[in-house]
Amino acid sequence: MTNKLYVKAPTDMSIGRIRIIGQGNQVGEWLATPTKATSQFDVPAGPYAASIEPLGQLARNFAFIVREGETTEVQIPTLRQLAAGGEVFLNSNWNANLNLDNFPTTVIGGADESETNRPSRWLSIAISQDTLPGRIGGWRPYSSSPQPVLTISGDLVEIAVERPHPALHREHSRLRLECAVSGLRNERLMLPLFRGGTKVVIRSNPTSSDVIVIVFPVDMRSRALVQALYAGSVAETQQVALEQLEYLGNPQLDLDEPDPWMEIANALVLLRFPELERNLSEEEVGLLVARSDWIPDAHAIWARHQIDTASEADEQAAGVRALNAIAKCRQLGMPYFAYTAQIVSDILNALSKPFEESPLSVAAKAELNKWQLRIPAQKNAGAIFSWLVTGSKTQPSIGRIDERFSKILFRGRLDPGRFWVQNATGKTPKSGKFTSSPEEVPLYSDDGVLIPTSDHAGDVILKTEPVTRLRQDPEALSLQIMEQNDPHKGRWGGVASKDGYLLSAEFVSTTGTRSWVTVVLSVEADPDLISSSYDEPVEFFLHPTFHPDRVRTVFRGYKARLELGCYGGFTVGAWLPGPGIELELDLSELKDAPHIIKNF
């Protein structure tokens, strides 16, 4: 006898394959998308597991049971919950015995002892804005609003970025993100401003002190298409394309809030997968370039269209037009999408024939030489093109970011499988007033342009606020600062416990150094009063010597945690936006605080 089983995909998964496994055999599968999130199966009673395989990510597993004579509806937890639950996330209502040996398991995070003993590295994350689009020398710290929202959760740092201005044009829309890992590399990417927001996910490698960066739209429909662009097979992309291109491919022109990056992603999907049998027309490509002539990728798509549609008689002229478009693409800067770089490489290699000295071939070889300075340094961030920065007079050392050209979003330590914030000043927070004086002005900007000292001085943005201000702020930030050296003292209610929530700190001895101590901040919810959560946010407010000094994290069950590297004591504020609760804890007043926290 079989029973009805309805399985619903995780609500935060845009596209992925879900396999249903029982008694050691696969009983069914489907490709889950935003419009096909639920699937039905007829199965015998017994224990089952769902293997969830998000496109381009590690598989996760969820176990459940189907009972005899009952219709079973299973809502698979979110990917965040599954990642926090270990190898196999068990249904909490399941009291049957399950033989996990029958199910595939994938370890999420974790490393052997030899790997976790690797030395930690400094990690900095920053964002810049182009003040001279189309020219070099214009990168400056991001100063628009709204500010990016950064969330730290275990081995993940998530950065949500909304458009700084609804009317897109080059003066507001060219943003660049940079990740710097000390002693390893500086990685940069152009940040697309998708309609509905852009999310940057930076994951700590579980086996080394390194990171993996992925960029995608917040909107689930758009995200599915972008993920299919870099990780999908023809079959997977075909299903997504049938659903998404109809929805996204020909939207009515929105002059107030267009989405040129999704229009470009649509075009790139059609070029990458000709099996979809949906060719771009001359009119569509022309309209794309007309709307987005300041985005390099649009010109690369136009160049590819010239090559694809050229007749035999027009082949030479089409090659010249394509080459001119690629030169325009290069002059505008780095492309946004990784597949754009592949298109450029393919066209230039095809036009620069090795044993031919025609004018077109010679010009193509010259253009290829200019691009070869960029293409070998490519290191993709999902579907987004990223590149590595090498040390030079404009980049003194790998792993550092110059704050005169970039706004620091995060600065801290990176260990295998985890992030933690650390004040990098090396000075005692309470020993004197915190200052934010600029360093000596360099001779060159970060893209090699000589900058006069007098002109540059006005571009330095000083941090005068004791904490980063976002769109929504707790009431504590509106109160007067009572102690300049400890700006959160007395502003958060003076209590560490309220309405079932407790703010606490644990001090962990750090082997091999006496210059700082590891502090684990926690906000814990009372299980008798509050339900567990995997998305309820908590914001910690730290001393201004931290970058960032306002850190967002989320609950994992009944606890939200944040690791810090500290030298000197200070007062921590914690805010739970949902219930509107504010908590306060002075680290230097705790009984078990070490000497460098209690007395400095």
Side-chain angles (χ1 to χ4, degrees):
M1 178 179 177
T2 60
N3 306 273
K4 294 290 185 185
L5 170 63
Y6 295 90
V7 182
K8 190 170 183 180
T11 56
D12 60 346
M13 185 176 77
S14 59
I15 177 174
R17 192 164 298 279
I18 298 179
R19 307 178 193 273
I20 307 302
I21 300 166
Q23 309 303 322
N25 299 313
Q26 180 173 308
V27 299
E29 67 173 81
W30 92 100
L31 183 66
T33 65
T35 58
K36 196 176 181 181
T38 304
S39 190
Q40 174 189 331
F41 305 92
D42 294 314
V43 298
Y48 289 87
S51 176
I52 302 96
E53 303 169 8
L55 198 58
Q57 300 182 42
L58 294 174
R60 297 161 170 86
N61 301 295
F62 176 69
F64 58 93
I65 192 167
V66 174
R67 302 190 183 279
E68 188 69 49
E70 298 181 7
T71 297
T72 303
E73 297 182 1
V74 175
Q75 169 64 70
I76 299 176
T78 64
L79 298 180
R80 185 191 297 274
Q81 290 174 287
L82 293 172
E87 292 187 4
V88 177
F89 192 102
L90 300 179
N91 189 331
S92 59
N93 295 322
W94 189 12
N95 52 21
N97 293 322
L98 175 67
N99 181 8
L100 297 180
D101 294 335
N102 292 332
F103 303 125
T105 60
T106 301
V107 178
I108 307 300
D112 60 40
E113 184 177 354
S114 63
E115 293 289 354
T116 55
N117 286 334
R118 291 176 181 267
S120 62
R121 301 178 184 272
W122 281 103
L123 172 68
S124 297
I125 306 170
I127 187 170
S128 306
Q129 188 167 8
D130 192 358
T131 60
L132 297 173
R135 299 163 56 187
I136 59 175
W139 290 106
R140 295 293 182 271
Y142 178 81
S143 58
S144 301
S145 60
Q147 291 292 317
V149 177
L150 183 142
T151 302
I152 301 176
S153 179
D155 64 343
L156 291 179
V157 171
E158 297 181 351
I159 303 171
V161 182
E162 293 188 10
R163 294 182 178 180
H165 195 281
L168 282 177
H169 48 83
R170 64 178 68 191
E171 282 74 18
H172 293 280
S173 307
R174 284 179 52 81
L175 304 184
R176 186 184 70 191
L177 190 81
E178 182 169 2
C179 293
V181 183
S182 62
L184 194 61
R185 71 171 185 276
N186 284 48
E187 182 177 351
R188 291 176 177 173
L189 58 89
M190 296 298 297
L191 197 61
L193 297 175
F194 297 111
R195 184 187 313 184
T198 300
K199 180 171 285 189
V200 180
V201 174
I202 303 171
R203 182 183 296 275
S204 174
N205 192 315
T207 60
S208 65
S209 297
D210 198 359
V211 294
I212 301 169
V213 184
I214 299 179
V215 181
F216 49 77
V218 171
D219 177 75
M220 296 294 283
R221 288 179 177 269
S222 302
R223 186 187 304 181
L225 194 69
V226 170
Q227 286 182 295
L229 175 60
Y230 81 94
S233 65
V234 174
E236 292 166 335
T237 305
Q238 189 165 13
Q239 178 173 333
V240 175
L242 291 174
E243 299 173 3
Q244 311 306 324
L245 291 178
E246 181 179 352
Y247 174 77
L248 297 167
N250 295 298
Q252 293 185 355
L253 181 60
D254 187 343
L255 296 177
D256 292 328
E257 195 177 1
D259 198 337
W261 291 279
M262 280 312 302
E263 292 177 355
I264 288 170
N266 294 344
L268 292 175
V269 164
L270 296 177
L271 292 175
R272 186 187 173 202
F273 298 102
E275 298 88 349
L276 298 177
E277 298 180 351
R278 164 71 165 80
N279 296 325
L280 292 167
S281 67
E282 185 78 27
E283 181 182 359
E284 288 174 321
V285 176
L287 183 59
L288 177 63
V289 175
R291 293 183 191 177
S292 311
D293 67 326
W294 51 277
I295 298 181
D297 306 66
H299 297 276
I301 292 171
W302 192 86
R304 169 71 179 268
H305 182 74
Q306 298 304 306
I307 297 295
D308 289 347
T309 59
S311 64
E312 187 174 348
D314 190 44
E315 186 174 310
Q316 191 78 5
V320 173
R321 294 194 298 270
L323 193 58
N324 290 336
I326 289 175
K328 176 68 172 176
C329 175
R330 173 179 51 80
Q331 292 162 5
L332 289 172
M334 292 291 190
Y336 284 87
F337 290 92
Y339 191 62
T340 300
Q342 182 176 329
I343 288 175
V344 170
S345 179
D346 291 345
I347 292 176
L348 291 178
N349 280 292
L351 294 179
S352 57
K353 300 175 182 178
F355 304 105
E356 184 177 315
E357 295 300 324
S358 66
L360 177 59
S361 180
V362 171
K365 291 174 184 176
E367 185 66 27
L368 181 60
N369 288 335
K370 297 175 182 177
W371 276 92
Q372 282 176 339
L373 297 174
R374 305 171 175 212
I375 293 175
Q378 178 176 347
K379 189 180 185 301
N380 300 345
I384 303 303
F385 177 86
S386 68
W387 69 96
L388 304 182
V389 182
T390 57
S392 66
K393 64 183 178 183
T394 64
Q395 186 69 38
S397 63
I398 298 301
R400 294 177 57 190
I401 296 178
D402 197 322
E403 295 186 49
R404 289 159 293 193
F405 309 118
S406 300
K407 176 184 175 64
I408 302 296
L409 300 179
F410 173 90
R411 179 182 286 132
R413 304 294 289 186
L414 170 66
D415 282 327
R418 65 173 183 158
F419 298 94
W420 38 301
V421 189
Q422 180 165 343
N423 51 345
T425 61
K427 298 179 181 179
T428 307
K430 289 190 175 183
S431 62
K433 293 185 178 181
F434 55 88
T435 61
S436 191
S437 58
E439 302 174 9
E440 292 296 322
V441 177
L443 295 177
Y444 293 89
S445 74
D446 69 341
D447 45 10
V449 177
L450 184 65
I451 300 179
T453 302
S454 58
D455 292 341
H456 181 70
D459 293 331
V460 176
I461 298 176
L462 300 183
K463 183 178 178 180
T464 57
E465 292 277 355
V467 74
T468 303
R469 291 190 173 272
L470 302 176
R471 290 163 295 170
Q472 184 182 9
D473 287 327
E475 183 179 352
L477 294 188
S478 64
L479 302 180
Q480 182 179 357
I481 295 176
M482 306 302 294
E483 296 188 23
Q484 196 69 20
N485 299 332
D486 193 8
H488 295 304
K489 184 73 172 177
R491 302 172 72 200
W492 297 84
V495 295
S497 179
K498 184 178 181 181
D499 296 343
Y501 292 96
L502 171 66
L503 171 61
S504 62
E506 177 186 1
F507 301 97
V508 181
S509 60
T510 306
T511 305
T513 180
R514 296 181 179 180
S515 60
W516 51 270
V517 65
T518 299
V519 180
V520 181
L521 300 177
S522 300
V523 172
E524 192 167 0
D526 188 337
D528 295 331
L529 300 177
I530 298 157
S531 301
S532 65
S533 171
Y534 286 85
D535 54 13
E536 179 72 24
V538 178
E539 294 192 20
F540 292 96
F541 293 77
L542 312 175
H543 194 270
T545 52
F546 287 86
H547 287 281
D549 51 4
R550 177 176 183 169
V551 184
R552 187 179 188 269
T553 187
V554 293
F555 274 92
R556 288 192 169 190
Y558 293 99
K559 183 177 287 189
R561 300 171 73 254
L562 178 68
E563 291 189 46
L564 308 175
C566 296
Y567 183 87
F570 60 94
T571 299
V572 177
W575 179 47
L576 292 89
I581 291 174
E582 298 179 356
L583 305 172
E584 182 175 319
L585 183 67
D586 189 335
L587 300 181
S588 65
E589 295 179 356
L590 299 179
K591 292 183 179 180
D592 59 342
H595 176 72
I596 62 173
I597 296 294
K598 199 172 267 189
N599 299 307
F600 290 91

